């Protein structure tokens, strides 16, 4: 179909959470992430990011900088980064050193996406040596981290983060609410989701732009909107891709455990409680999903309303081939320029 001119004003990127699947091991999920990164590069996507989760059966990606190194080594042009490193879980010096190594090995291709979450459950937070309230110190940790790149922070005289010091690794803040305000005060690009809470997203984006202070890292606001985007041949096929993640979310809300993805047929055969059914059905609604024409219309509206500079596609599903097909359809819809053999 005709390329949407509105979608064409925004970059398109991919975040893969290395979701595990029933019947497959975590190693397979990590290898799938690396393979998907190669495909995203070939299709012309701008960035490929990986995530950080600890103690979650449904997610294999627990060490994002390690996985980012594998992705960067397997690709040649696409930007690679984290969506994100959860800064309260780590010492800023160590994070700076890790990204300094990545940037030194893959110069000009590394992004430093940073979040403020602290573990999925109380048990995981204790195992990490942190408490939920540690997220309140995110702004200070962020300042310290950026200081390691520009020179030793005042509170650590004589200490240097090698090889990070003097390097330029673009930082992004993954946030909603207070985190968006932190990004604005620090003068950093904002990554915000999800697309289902459109009114809250737009209000946070407006507040971010109003409060943005230019910095050495960014002269103007830069907004990345993130969420599930699915393009398929029919509405039914698009809905099928949404089913596994919708059930995992419903299960996590009712059982406290985020499980591996099930095949859509297994989910359809499940007997759900009234609460599970309500959460599951809610999880299927509000995403940008459907045929090419439907997605073009909805995604154009998202970009136009938010003024987004970039869309980060965060879709997860059991069928990896169907996920790749969706990314191919979206790339064609947006008029992305595929990587040729001469470019590789």
């Amino acid at each position: 179909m005709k390329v949407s001119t509105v979608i064409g004003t925004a970059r398109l990127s991919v975040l893969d959470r290395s979701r595990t699947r029933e019947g497959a091991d975590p190693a397979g999920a990590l290898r799938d992430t690396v393979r998907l990164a190669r495909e995203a590069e070939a299709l012309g996507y701008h960035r490929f990011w990986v995530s950080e989760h600890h103690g979650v059966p449904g997610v294999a990606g627990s060490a994002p900088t390690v996985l980012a190194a594998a992705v960067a080594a397997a690709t040649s042009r696409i930007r690679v980064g984290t969506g994100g490193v959860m800064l309260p879980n780590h010492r800023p010096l160590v994070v700076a050193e890790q990204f300094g190594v990545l940037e030194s090995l893959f110069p000009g291709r590394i992004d430093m996406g940073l979040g403020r979450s602290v573990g999925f459950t109380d048990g995981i937070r204790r195992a990490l040596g942190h408490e939920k309230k540690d997220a309140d110190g995110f702004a200070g940790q962020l300042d310290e981290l950026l200081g390691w790149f520009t020179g030793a922070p005042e509170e650590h005289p004589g200490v240097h983060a090698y090889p990070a010091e003097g390097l330029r690794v673009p930082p992004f803040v993954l946030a909603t609410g207070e985190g968006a305000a932190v990004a604005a005060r620090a003068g950093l690009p904002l990554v915000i989701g999800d697309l289902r809470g459109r009114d809250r997203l737009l209000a946070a984006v407006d507040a971010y732009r109003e409060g943005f202070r230019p910095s050495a890292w960014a002269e103007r606001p830069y907004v990345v909107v993130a969420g599930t985007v699915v393009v398929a041949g029919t509405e039914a096929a698009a809905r099928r891709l949404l089913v596994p993640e919708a059930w995992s979310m419903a299960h996590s809300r009712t059982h406290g455990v985020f499980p591996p993805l099930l095949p859509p047929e297994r989910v359809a055969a499940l007997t759900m409680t009234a609460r599970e059914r309500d959460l599951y059905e809610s999880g299927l609604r509000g995403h940008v999903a459907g045929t090419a024409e439907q997605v073009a219309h909805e995604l154009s509206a998202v970009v136009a309303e938010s003024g987004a500079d970039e869309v980060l596609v965060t879709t997860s599903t059991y069928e990896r081939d169907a996920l790749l097909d969706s990314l191919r359809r979206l790339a064609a819809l947006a008029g992305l320029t595929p990587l040729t053999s001469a470019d590789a």
Side-chain angles (χ1 to χ4, degrees), residues 62-144:
S62 57
T65 54
V66 176
L67 185 52
V71 169
T75 55
S76 61
R77 294 278 296 275
I78 196 168
R79 296 196 64 87
V80 176
T82 56
V85 165
M86 297 299 120
L87 196 51
N89 291 337
H90 312 279
R91 292 301 305 168
L93 170 62
V94 176
V95 175
E97 291 171 336
Q98 290 173 346
F99 278 97
V101 170
L102 285 170
E103 177 64 19
S104 297
L105 292 172
F106 309 101
R109 294 180 55 209
I110 301 301
D111 299 322
M112 186 169 58
L114 306 161
R116 62 192 293 268
S117 296
V118 190
F120 184 63
T121 65
D122 288 339
I124 293 171
R125 286 189 285 271
R126 286 194 296 271
L128 290 168
H130 293 286
E131 302 177 50
K132 202 168 188 178
K133 66 180 178 61
D134 290 347
D136 297 337
F138 177 68
Q141 292 174 316
L142 182 61
D143 288 341
E144 180 183 338

